[in-house]
Amino acid sequence: TTTTLGYLYGNKKGNMIQIVLFDLFRICVIFSVVIPVLIIILAFILAEVMNTNTKSRENGIFYLTPLCFGFIFTSCFALFRGVLQGNGLSIMNGVFHLCSFFLSVCVLEPLFLMFLKTGIYGVSLSMVLSEGIVCIVTAYFLMKKEYIKISNNVSWFSEFSNETISGLGAGFSSLFIQISAVIPCLIIQKYLTLSSKLIGEYEEVMG
């Protein structure tokens, strides 16, 4: 989002900003359905590859469930923070991010884990709720400052603009870089799992 907005401002295409932002919001909605499905599938595949026990698999599902159902908040919060950053509001971006972190770690997690005794899913639920609350506040702030405007000239089913497609190319390249950084960690983890079982000294944990 930040890169795309910088490109539009730099090339004097301010009239395209709201169209691109709506395109990105539509993509967030699509990803909120597609990504959770992929995460669940990958979780089962990795559980088989890592040969985890039944208890760890159950905890993994409990942990992932709130994250999957609340992924719309995660994606939209990232979008709105990108809008803040792209408009030069770096401090506000940091403030909203810190508010989400504080709400999750200092308020909701103690509430769910210590008082309500929810177990492992309380951690992910606190993350989703904190991002959801701050996401709504961020959206209100952006609309009030008119960085985001609701227009009747856009359609949910229209084609994505060329600027949006170009911006997605940069986003996907960053995604592939992050995935390439994760894969070696998975290989090392599998090696350590196999080695520890051969030695006979290990303890099952969920990662």
Side-chain angles (χ1 to χ4, degrees), residues 39-40 43-44 59-70 121 124:
I39 289 176
I40 294 298
F44 280 104
N59 285 335
I61 295 300
F62 285 142
Y63 180 81
L64 286 174
T65 299
L67 294 178
C68 290
F69 280 103
Y121 75 87
S124 55

Side-chain angles (χ1 to χ4, degrees), residues 14 24 28 31 35 67-68 74-75 98 108 114 130 141 190:
L24 294 175
C28 287
F31 279 7
I35 298 298
L67 294 178
C68 290
T74 302
S75 56
L98 287 176
L108 295 177
M114 299 175 62
S130 63
F141 173 82
K190 179 61 177 177

Side-chain angles (χ1 to χ4, degrees), residues 2-77:
T2 303
T3 305
T4 304
L5 289 179
Y7 168 79
L8 294 175
Y9 280 126
N11 287 273
K12 310 299 182 182
K13 294 184 177 181
N15 60 314
M16 291 294 300
I17 289 177
Q18 297 305 317
I19 296 175
V20 170
L21 290 180
F22 184 73
D23 285 346
L24 294 175
F25 178 73
R26 287 191 293 162
I27 292 171
C28 287
V29 174
I30 295 172
F31 279 7
S32 68
V33 177
V34 175
I35 298 298
V37 173
L38 293 177
I39 289 176
I40 294 298
I41 294 174
L42 288 174
F44 280 104
I45 293 175
L46 289 175
E48 289 294 332
V49 173
M50 298 299 175
N51 195 26
T52 57
N53 60 25
T54 303
K55 182 62 176 177
S56 295
R57 296 187 187 196
E58 290 177 354
N59 285 335
I61 295 300
F62 285 142
Y63 180 81
L64 286 174
T65 299
L67 294 178
C68 290
F69 280 103
F71 190 79
I72 181 65
F73 293 123
T74 302
S75 56
C76 286
F77 188 39

